[in-house]
Amino acid sequence: IMARTDTGDLADVLLPATGWGEKDGTVTNSERRISRQRAFLDAPGEARPDWRIISQVAQRMGFTDAFDYDSPAEVFAEYIALADHTRGFGRDLDLSVFADADYAALIPTQWPSNDHRFFANGTFYHPDGKAKMLAVSAPDAQTNPMYRLNTGRNRDQWHTMTRTGKAPRLGTHLGEPYVEIHPKDAAVLSLKPGDLLDLANLYGSARLRALVTDRVAPGQLFAPMHWTRQRIAGGTVNTLVAPKTDPTSGQPALKASLVTAQRYAPARYGFLACVSEPEAKADYTAIARTQTGWQAELAWTDVARDWAAELSRLTGLSGNDIAIQTDGTAGAVRIAMQTGNTLQALLFTAPHPVVLSRSAVIAQIGTDARPLHTLAGRGAADQPDPGPTICACFNVGSNTLRTAIAEGAGSVEALGETTCAGTNCGSCKPELAALIQDTTMPLAAE
């Protein structure tokens, strides 16, 4: 249902399918409850539901009789009928509760019945009725200089960001892939705030932003799996996962890949904000949607001489007015690109990780802001920097929260009352609690 994905780029044929709000059928959740799903949007273009795509392809292959469905109701009826045959395999798939159900008016129903509990009679699906306990061996112990890499998801993204990556609000919290590393390991690798880390093993490599934290144990690393090649250059962490599976369950070994780690020392770092999606990448590039367009975290192995030309290459924009500000002492270069009075792009580069108010920079894109003011990299005096976003629902930054804490909001609930942070989905509450704990509060004199 997406025009482009990493896996879609590998396909010879793409068949347009309907999305969630365009589907009509049934859904089974993790407690075996089947619910009717009704479309509330028309299918766009040539998009068709999955069951019809599969049926029509099968019919073209010669299986006309076996896939002669006219509606999802017919597919569901066959599913219910087939349940009678599964008992011969010694499994408890009992869908008889749906035998006489009115598909059009089906209400959410759990099978085989709402009060049923599997294995309640003390027997299991084996000839002797007993459970079979499997002895699980721990993975091989790590050996220096290898680190054990765990992968998973982070708070705001889902799967490979094909949908959540389109939401500007979700990209403001953590806009690039990262690897969590313990302070002791960071010290061994001489990592500083904002540094990039190269991970590698026999299967692949990934370049990720280092996030120093005690949330991981020494010798352990954690990296989210969401970013794909469309959003990151060289940071697809799944390339590091060993092609191993559990011999019994088939579960892939996503939690214990061994990797080496070393600090990546680029010649130049950068931050880009622009109105349209960047068309080219640097040696390290991580792009994300913003409220005004797009942003990109950048790094170059070699120093580009013509930064105005590099900005045009990255953005694909040309023929615009350019303003350049150079700091010879710090080695920083800042460039603004305009069309008429409208700001199209801002590029900040330096020989060290770029420190500026990203939210203030992003807010200027697409406006009539004056270049010299925007190149300051911070908001105006009457627009205090809210800091990195903590609460994505209400766009509340860390600086705003620290101010509220300093003024007496000493609990997650109090922060919610003062700033609204944490009062919608609630997923940021652990970070709010940690921020309260980490923020220095004034102590009363003894």
Side-chain angles (χ1 to χ4, degrees), residues 27-35 76 79 92-95 97-98 107-119 125:
V27 176
T28 305
N29 70 6
S30 57
E31 65 165 3
R32 311 181 314 279
R33 189 174 302 278
I34 298 179
S35 303
F76 184 74
Y79 172 51
D92 193 6
L93 177 62
D94 181 2
L95 301 177
V97 67
F98 298 99
I107 63 173
T109 305
Q110 186 184 47
W111 63 263
S113 59
N114 290 331
D115 59 353
H116 181 83
R117 297 291 183 269
F118 280 110
F119 316 122
Y125 298 131

Side-chain angles (χ1 to χ4, degrees), residues 131-435:
K132 295 184 182 297
M133 310 303 291
L134 300 178
V136 178
S137 300
D140 297 335
Q142 73 177 60
T143 57
N144 289 331
M146 306 294 275
Y147 294 85
R148 192 172 297 282
L149 174 66
N150 176 22
T151 66
R153 62 167 297 220
N154 71 9
R155 191 192 80 186
D156 294 312
Q157 302 297 341
W158 190 252
H159 295 308
T160 53
M161 293 171 61
T162 52
R163 286 179 292 177
T164 55
K166 295 173 66 177
R169 188 175 294 178
L170 295 179
T172 58
H173 179 228
L174 293 167
E176 64 181 323
Y178 58 90
V179 55
E180 296 189 3
I181 182 170
H182 192 273
K184 291 183 179 179
D185 295 324
V188 171
L189 297 171
S190 301
L191 291 177
K192 302 185 297 296
D195 276 349
L196 294 164
L197 194 62
D198 279 341
L199 306 181
N201 59 18
L202 294 175
Y203 313 110
S205 61
R207 179 167 293 157
L208 306 168
R209 188 75 63 179
L211 181 58
V212 181
T213 174
D214 59 5
R215 289 195 297 257
V216 293
Q220 306 282 330
L221 304 174
F222 171 80
M225 48 76 177
H226 308 292
W227 278 265
T228 64
R229 289 177 177 85
Q230 293 183 48
R231 296 195 175 266
I232 178 71
T236 50
V237 72
N238 290 327
T239 61
L240 296 166
V241 175
K244 299 178 181 178
T245 57
D246 179 83
T248 302
S249 68
Q251 173 72 25
L254 302 173
K255 303 295 182 180
S257 295
L258 294 179
V259 298
T260 60
Q262 68 177 28
R263 179 177 174 270
Y264 169 59
R268 202 82 176 174
Y269 293 87
F271 176 76
L272 168 69
C274 53
V275 293
S276 57
E277 183 175 359
E279 293 189 1
K281 292 181 171 64
D283 298 304
Y284 171 83
T285 306
I287 66 173
R289 288 293 305 271
T290 69
Q291 299 286 358
T292 59
W294 293 80
Q295 71 170 52
E297 298 287 349
L298 307 163
W300 296 266
T301 301
D302 299 319
V303 177
R305 296 177 181 272
D306 187 344
W307 287 108
E310 178 69 359
L311 177 57
S312 295
R313 185 187 76 86
L314 290 170
T315 61
L317 302 173
S318 60
N320 299 284
D321 296 329
I322 298 290
I324 301 178
Q325 184 182 86
T326 302
D327 184 339
T329 302
V333 178
R334 301 180 175 194
I335 309 175
M337 177 185 290
Q338 283 184 278
T339 299
N341 293 326
T342 304
L343 191 63
Q344 300 290 313
L346 287 166
L347 176 64
F348 300 79
T349 79
H352 46 73
V354 175
V355 178
L356 48 75
S357 173
R358 281 158 170 74
S359 59
V361 171
I362 290 169
Q364 302 302 317
I365 298 299
T367 70
D368 293 338
R370 287 177 291 178
L372 293 181
H373 288 184
T374 59
L375 291 177
R378 60 185 181 183
D382 60 344
Q383 298 174 343
D385 178 16
T389 299
I390 301 296
C391 175
C393 293
F394 293 104
N395 196 28
V396 185
S398 59
N399 292 344
T400 301
L401 293 165
R402 286 193 175 94
T403 299
I405 294 170
E407 293 175 350
S411 67
V412 172
E413 291 73 18
L415 279 178
E417 293 177 1
T418 304
T419 67
C420 291
T423 60
N424 190 35
C425 76
S427 62
C428 65
K429 286 185 176 181
E431 290 183 72
L432 298 180
L435 193 64

